[in-house]
Amino acid sequence: AQTVTQSQPEMSVQEAETVTLSCTYDTSESDYYLFWYKQPPSRQMILVIRQEAYKQQNATENRFSVNFQKAAKSFSLKISDSQLGDAAMYFCAYRAGTSGTYKYIFGTGTRLKVLA
Amino acid sequence: DTAVSQTPKYLVTQMGNDKSIKCEQNLGHDTMYWYKQDSKKFLKIMFSYNNKELIINETVPNRFSPKSPDKAHLNLHINSLELGDSAVYFCASSQEFRRPYEQYFGPGTRLTVT
């Protein structure tokens, strides 16, 4: 069975600095997708970034980038130039690439605090 | 234009009552989900519907009954509410047979049972 592990319950970063949130997963599949979701205090779940397992290139979205290490089954999120608005819970999620799976596996989340 | 909407956003009720939460998506997705997020922020899938058909039922008490009148709507009815049902309930949708299967969430409904 697939699992997603976020080993950092909480992280802090100074405003304008860079922070990396860790995520590891376990799967026997070769075709899958990985996602990072942000949940600010408003509780809305927002998709931050997506990575396709078949792509070697790491995904980037503005200040957000990932370090995808397929062999190590690691999918970390790097936030550059941290802003106060980045403070939130961050969830890593896995989705098998096969249609008809219907299931996403979420990690337990990392709470990010941004210090002014 | 809200992609996935839920009503109500807050629900406070007493033990033993019956309540419903409604969800609608205007993304044209074929799959909808209910998740429960507990006080520790853990997200647990409850149900998944594809084109109105129940696909996933994750050992949820049968006091919880989802209903999908069409593929744009998925409602959750809860009978005989218990204290342990207090949580945030999220509706989500995705297109199952179109990569990359991105899932979009509603704003959540905070249910408080007293």
Side-chain angles (χ1 to χ4, degrees):
Chain A
Q2 296 94 355
T3 58
V4 174
T5 302
Q6 292 180 250
S7 58
Q8 306 153 316
E10 194 170 292
M11 294 281 285
S12 295
V13 63
Q14 208 69 34
E15 201 176 0
E17 298 291 307
T18 295
V19 65
T20 299
L21 308 184
S22 300
C23 174
T24 59
Y25 58 95
D26 190 24
T27 183
S28 57
E29 308 271 346
S30 59
D31 177 18
Y32 53 86
Y33 292 81
L34 297 163
F35 306 89
W36 277 99
Y37 282 86
K38 170 185 177 182
Q39 186 180 35
S42 67
R43 77 168 181 255
Q44 176 72 56
M45 293 282 286
I46 302 162
L47 178 64
V48 175
I49 201 164
R50 174 190 80 234
Q51 176 76 44
E52 294 89 340
Y54 61 84
K55 286 190 178 177
Q56 290 188 329
Q57 188 173 5
N58 289 325
T60 61
E61 285 287 341
N62 301 315
R63 298 181 296 107
F64 297 86
S65 62
V66 299
N67 184 1
F68 174 50
Q69 302 287 329
K70 191 171 184 179
K73 296 180 182 171
S74 169
F75 181 60
S76 58
L77 176 70
K78 185 170 90 170
I79 307 173
S80 304
D81 185 25
S82 296
Q83 300 175 359
L84 294 176
D86 295 333
M89 284 289 290
Y90 286 82
F91 293 93
C92 179
Y94 166 99
R95 155 70 212 235
T98 307
S99 293
T101 305
Y102 302 102
K103 203 165 179 179
Y104 294 73
I105 314 277
F106 282 85
T108 50
T110 296
R111 183 179 300 280
L112 178 66
K113 295 184 177 181
V114 181
L115 309 172
Chain B
D1 269 353
T2 304
V4 183
S5 59
Q6 288 179 234
T7 53
K9 289 189 178 171
Y10 297 93
L11 191 49
V12 181
T13 188
Q14 292 184 327
M15 279 173 51
N17 284 348
D18 303 339
K19 289 293 178 187
S20 291
I21 306 171
K22 295 187 175 183
C23 178
E24 177 181 1
Q25 55 95 4
N26 62 7
L27 298 166
H29 288 165
D30 62 3
T31 305
M32 296 184 73
Y33 309 80
W34 279 112
Y35 286 89
K36 178 180 180 180
Q37 186 176 45
D38 61 24
S39 57
K40 294 185 178 179
K41 302 295 186 181
F42 183 64
L43 264 173
K44 179 178 167 60
I45 190 166
M46 301 173 69
F47 302 104
S48 169
Y49 268 76
N50 176 259
N51 285 320
K52 305 193 298 176
E53 182 184 346
L54 179 64
I55 302 296
I56 290 176
N57 181 344
E58 287 282 314
T59 59
V60 176
N62 57 16
R63 297 183 296 103
F64 291 79
S65 51
K67 279 196 172 61
S68 181
D70 56 60
K71 71 176 190 178
H73 296 84
L74 180 61
N75 304 324
L76 183 65
H77 187 76
I78 315 171
N79 289 326
S80 303
L81 277 154
E82 300 177 357
L83 292 176
D85 298 331
S86 295
V88 178
Y89 292 85
F90 284 98
C91 177
S93 74
S94 68
Q95 187 64 21
E96 180 60 21
F97 294 95
R98 184 170 67 217
R99 293 173 180 258
Y101 313 116
E102 285 176 5
Q103 199 169 66
Y104 293 85
F105 284 80
T109 296
R110 181 177 292 281
L111 172 65
T112 303
V113 182
T114 61

